[in-house]
Amino acid sequence: MPTYKAPLRDMKFLLNDVFDYPKHYASLKAGENATPDIVDAVLTECGKFCEEVLSPLYQSGDEEGCKLEDGDVTTPSGYKEAYQQYMMGGWQGLSAPEELGGQGLPASMGLLKQEMMGTANWPFSMYPGLSLGAMNTIQLHGSDEQKATYLVPLTEGRWGGTMCLTEPQCGTDLGQVKTKAEPQADGSYKVTGTKIFISSGDHDLTENIVHVVLARLPDAPKGTRGISLFIVPKFLPDASGGVGERNGVTCGSLEKKMGIKASATCVMNFDDAKGFLIGPENEGLNCMFTFMNTARIGTAIQGVGPAELSYQWALEYAKERRSMRALSGKKEPDQVADSLIHHADVRRMLLTQKAIAEGGRAMLYYSARLADHMVEGHLEGDDKKAETYDDKLGFLTPILKGFLTEMGYEAANLGVQVFGGHGYIREHGMEQIVRDTKIATLYEGTTGIQALDLLGRKVMLMTQGGAVREFTLRISNFARKHVTNKKLRPYAWELLKLAAQWNVLTVRLMLNARKDRDMISAAAHDFLMFSGYVTMAYMWARMAVVAADKLENGGEESEAFYEAKLATAEFYYDRLLPRAQAHATSMLSPTRNLMQLDAEHMAFTD
Ligand SMILES: Cc1cc2nc3c(=O)[nH]c(=O)nc-3n(C[C@H](O)[C@H](O)[C@H](O)COP(=O)(O)OP(=O)(O)OC[C@H]3O[C@@H](n4cnc5c(N)ncnc54)[C@H](O)[C@@H]3O)c2cc1C
């Protein structure tokens, strides 16, 4: 079975040449230490850890899964040792402030780390990933005492974290949360209820687990306005900040699920567990959403990762496996047959994977710059700056999360297809990537909910189309600069047309929605996918511009590397981007074709 190879050349091309991260880091306070040498060293070391430690555990972790015995969850063999190495390497605190024991590097460097770890072994990467969610929440909304108690052990990775939102009756509609929190005389709360599907709810990797829990105070208003946020540690911290008494929170069972089997997904029972309020009463959901944009970029990685991994393995296989002769004549006459890579249809699949992986990576790195500015605003207490970048990022996050995870799932499926029947057999690992990737379109807000967030909230309600106007202006300005360049003109023209079309579609949907409210839900998915294809087209054009320039003037990379970029850009524009037009047509079609059928008449099986 092949292993993961960190795509450092592609990462550096994007960081150094396309998005000029050296200049970006030089403009940030947290970027002071992110000199090109340090960035290089971090990428190389992290790549090594992912290739040598995490990747070999990917398949064995799936085979073995997690176990619940006598109330304690154990992770698959090798996970504990790998986590120790992760912790000792200081990886958890890479982007955390130095005063908390972190390395103080920019948030985007944490994303680069997450990308490599998540691609090598997504289920493993979920344990520290969830801890980051808890760290961010406490850092932004916790009291000074809570920060002093929890942030250092979380940053060091000695303690883990979870996000406990979902309950049996609700995942999307958190207004239905029932878990109760009763105030106690000492200022703490007794938390009682059941949470399901809790990632990293219990495990043997850390000495304590800090649950961040949504619950309802007595007499709280109904719905989302009556939800508060609590810290409920597995072990209560003792006076010296160490691990003290066991709290009333236990793992009731492990969910049996389709994929990510090495990630413990737990039913968590809170039974008069001692909890501590974070942030103001009844504003728990707002507090959760503050860091949602970064968390969702984190999940968007799960679109890029599987595309990359599945592509790496499918490419290797397509070069080795032989089947029939290429239609244009024998390519390897001294062999019994030509290898798969010579067949156009196999190339269609491979290049689709490549275009998604590299185009998706570019979307992530483009957005990670915005995240750096947003985090800097938060850390400096500059609310205006934080809000400005949160808005910019807020528009892109549903596109990243929704579009990239759908595309990642498509790429993973194509990986199975390249292997033919062997892709369906567990030994090769290709079907595992499909099973592991499907969850990305479901948690952290399903694709449908991302689409509603984009069209309904970010585009229509919050900005009346302004978010699309602002982003498309950026695209048009870029395209206009390159429209006279013979090589780049086709991309520039296409982008100018698409930018205009995106605005027209937005206005038409806003007008239609005034007459028919179902229009928003009916059009949202197509709008999200259209937005994703155009954003990725913008990224491919940006990569093409740099590649063309480097070919003419020379760059760090080989000519073949830049030529491959140009060839992939051409493939994307000619073969994947046309899908955007099908989405454009579909989103404007009347809601009648969805709503006219009576629910009773959906099937006639009785
Ligand atoms: C492996 C795994 C790990 C998870 N990890 C965690 C975790 O760590 N912490 C945590 O709190 N939760 C976690 N979850 C829960 C996950 O976030 C939810 O399952 C997810 O948010 C969807 O909620 P739901 O399952 O209740 O689906 P529902 O909300 O019931 O949705 C069902 C379908 O209806 C659609 N839908 C719902 N409402 C609307 C609407 N208003 N308009 C249009 N369509 C709608 C959805 O898009 C979806 O397609 C995890 C789930 C799994 C499976």
Side-chain angles (χ1 to χ4, degrees):
M1 193 195 119
T3 52
Y4 164 70
K5 289 288 295 170
L8 294 180
R9 288 171 71 179
D10 196 51
M11 293 171 80
K12 286 181 194 169
F13 168 71
L14 289 175
L15 293 173
N16 298 332
D17 298 331
V18 181
F19 298 122
D20 201 355
Y21 265 72
K23 191 167 159 205
H24 166 67
Y25 284 155
S27 76
L28 295 174
K29 253 203 193 127
E32 218 171 48
N33 295 331
T35 57
D37 285 353
I38 295 280
V39 174
D40 222 50
V42 169
L43 292 181
T44 307
E45 273 312 301
C46 187
K48 233 165 84 181
F49 174 67
C50 293
E51 290 173 2
E52 294 171 7
V53 180
L54 298 187
S55 177
L57 296 175
Y58 181 56
Q59 244 187 326
S60 59
D62 180 65
E63 291 292 336
E64 193 180 333
C66 294
K67 290 186 189 76
L68 172 65
E69 273 161 358
D70 302 326
D72 291 320
V73 176
T74 46
T75 52
S77 312
Y79 268 50
K80 251 176 127 166
E81 293 75 10
Y83 187 82
Q84 279 298 314
Q85 280 195 47
Y86 171 81
M87 202 173 81
M88 299 313 283
W91 291 111
Q92 184 67 355
L94 192 69
S95 301
E98 282 169 298
E99 60 272 22
L100 297 175
Q103 300 189 39
L105 290 166
S108 53
M109 290 203 62
L111 280 167
L112 302 177
K113 170 201 79 176
Q114 275 175 274
E115 181 204 332
M116 285 189 269
M117 283 179 53
T119 311
N121 190 334
W122 183 264
F124 177 93
S125 76
M126 285 181 68
Y127 293 98
L130 266 296
S131 299
L132 275 178
M135 275 159 71
N136 289 342
T137 312
I138 296 171
Q139 190 163 355
L140 285 174
H141 302 291
S143 64
D144 288 344
E145 193 190 336
Q146 289 167 343
K147 288 183 196 173
T149 308
Y150 296 101
L151 285 180
V152 171
L154 281 167
T155 304
E156 290 174 356
R158 283 188 286 117
W159 294 7
T162 71
M163 305 304 296
C164 299
L165 287 62
T166 305
E167 296 183 7
Q169 73 287 359
C170 65
T172 303
D173 184 7
L174 293 169
Q176 296 184 46
V177 158
K178 284 187 191 157
T179 297
K180 283 189 292 192
E182 285 176 56
Q184 302 299 298
D186 65 356
S188 70
Y189 295 79
K190 272 188 179 172
V191 178
T192 304
T194 298
K195 297 282 178 182
I196 62 166
F197 299 169
I198 304 308
S199 304
S200 320
D202 195 48
H203 55 78
D204 55 357
L205 303 181
T206 55
E207 61 191 44
N208 199 2
I209 301 175
V210 182
H211 302 287
V212 175
V213 186
L214 282 185
R216 210 173 264 292
L217 292 166
D219 306 322
K222 285 205 168 106
T224 49
R225 288 180 188 181
I227 300 177
S228 307
L229 200 59
F230 299 86
I231 295 176
V232 182
K234 176 175 172 180
F235 292 98
L236 292 163
D238 64 18
S240 62
V243 170
E245 193 189 322
R246 184 80 155 90
N247 201 0
V249 48
T250 48
C251 172
S253 62
L254 282 174
E255 308 283 4
K256 296 193 176 73
K257 55 194 195 290
M258 175 177 177
I260 53 166
K261 294 185 188 235
S263 161
T265 312
C266 306
V267 174
M268 297 304 296
N269 296 323
F270 294 83
D271 194 5
D272 280 348
K274 194 166 192 150
F276 308 94
L277 183 73
I278 324 177
E281 288 184 0
N282 299 327
E283 287 191 25
L285 217 52
N286 284 346
C287 294
M288 291 285 309
F289 276 113
T290 322
F291 79 90
M292 244 1 168
N293 284 335
T294 26
R296 284 179 175 166
I297 300 188
T299 315
I301 291 175
Q302 208 185 350
V304 174
E308 174 68 39
L309 188 65
S310 180
Y311 174 60
Q312 287 190 9
W313 295 359
L315 179 62
E316 207 172 309
Y317 190 76
K319 286 179 181 170
E320 283 167 7
R321 174 92 175 164
R322 299 182 181 284
S323 175
M324 299 166 66
R325 290 294 180 191
L327 293 180
S328 53
K330 288 182 184 174
K331 296 291 182 266
E332 294 160 291
D334 47 345
Q335 298 289 345
V336 60
D338 289 335
S339 49
L340 295 178
I341 196 136
H342 296 296
H343 300 300
D345 187 54
V346 174
R347 282 172 165 260
R348 171 189 62 78
M349 296 190 271
L350 291 169
L351 283 168
T352 301
Q353 294 183 298
K354 180 175 167 66
I356 294 171
E358 294 175 15
R361 181 172 299 118
M363 284 169 70
L364 286 178
Y365 292 9
Y366 174 84
S367 311
R369 285 177 50 134
L370 302 175
D372 282 339
H373 289 299
M374 186 187 78
V375 170
E376 185 161 271
H378 279 305
L379 291 177
E380 287 173 352
D382 183 344
D383 293 344
K384 192 153 183 287
K385 181 174 176 180
E387 210 172 293
T388 305
Y389 283 99
D390 193 27
D391 286 347
K392 286 180 196 290
L393 196 60
F395 170 68
L396 288 172
T397 38
I399 302 176
L400 294 174
K401 200 293 185 178
F403 174 74
L404 287 181
T405 57
E406 290 290 337
M407 298 302 278
Y409 187 56
E410 176 183 340
N413 271 304
L414 287 173
V416 170
Q417 203 70 15
V418 170
F419 271 66
H422 297 272
Y424 200 71
I425 304 300
R426 284 171 78 141
E427 181 191 338
H428 299 284
M430 303 309 282
E431 57 83 48
Q432 184 190 342
I433 305 177
V434 175
R435 285 187 288 106
D436 286 356
T437 305
K438 181 58 205 164
I439 187 60
T441 69
L442 300 168
Y443 55 19
E444 286 289 344
T446 60
T447 308
I449 295 305
Q450 299 301 329
L452 276 179
D453 181 44
L454 176 69
L455 180 61
R457 250 182 98 235
K458 308 274 171 61
V459 172
M460 289 193 181
L461 203 65
M462 287 167 67
T463 64
Q464 292 80 45
V468 175
R469 282 194 296 280
E470 189 189 317
F471 189 59
T472 50
L473 184 65
R474 196 171 277 273
I475 297 180
S476 307
N477 285 343
F478 163 84
R480 264 191 287 276
K481 271 200 253 165
H482 300 286
V483 87
T484 50
N485 181 322
K486 214 171 130 203
K487 220 174 189 172
L488 301 166
R489 189 180 301 149
Y491 304 135
W493 268 125
E494 192 59 34
L495 280 181
L496 284 170
K497 281 192 285 177
L498 287 166
Q501 188 185 14
W502 198 348
N503 280 294
V504 171
L505 290 168
T506 304
V507 172
R508 286 188 67 180
L509 289 178
M510 286 198 295
L511 291 174
N512 291 352
R514 280 192 198 160
K515 291 178 257 158
D516 178 357
R517 303 302 279 182
D518 277 332
M519 190 73 199
I520 303 171
S521 186
H525 176 82
D526 288 306
F527 186 82
L528 173 91
M529 296 306 284
F530 177 91
S531 307
Y533 281 113
V534 179
T535 308
M536 196 177 264
Y538 174 40
M539 294 301 124
W540 270 113
R542 289 190 63 159
M543 290 189 274
V545 164
V546 175
D549 173 65
K550 298 284 177 195
L551 271 175
E552 214 171 298
N553 302 311
E556 299 276 300
E557 269 296 348
S558 63
E559 283 191 7
F561 180 94
Y562 298 125
E563 273 157 8
K565 280 284 168 205
L566 287 173
T568 315
E570 189 177 325
F571 168 84
Y572 180 80
Y573 271 74
D574 290 352
R575 288 199 181 258
L576 298 185
L577 189 56
R579 297 177 185 180
Q581 295 313 319
H583 289 293
T585 307
S586 178
M587 81 175 81
L588 291 178
S589 79
T591 56
R592 188 171 40 85
N593 54 37
L594 291 170
M595 307 310 280
Q596 65 185 343
L597 199 52
D598 198 288
E600 307 304 318
H601 298 160
M602 285 279 200
F604 298 91
T605 45
D606 50 355

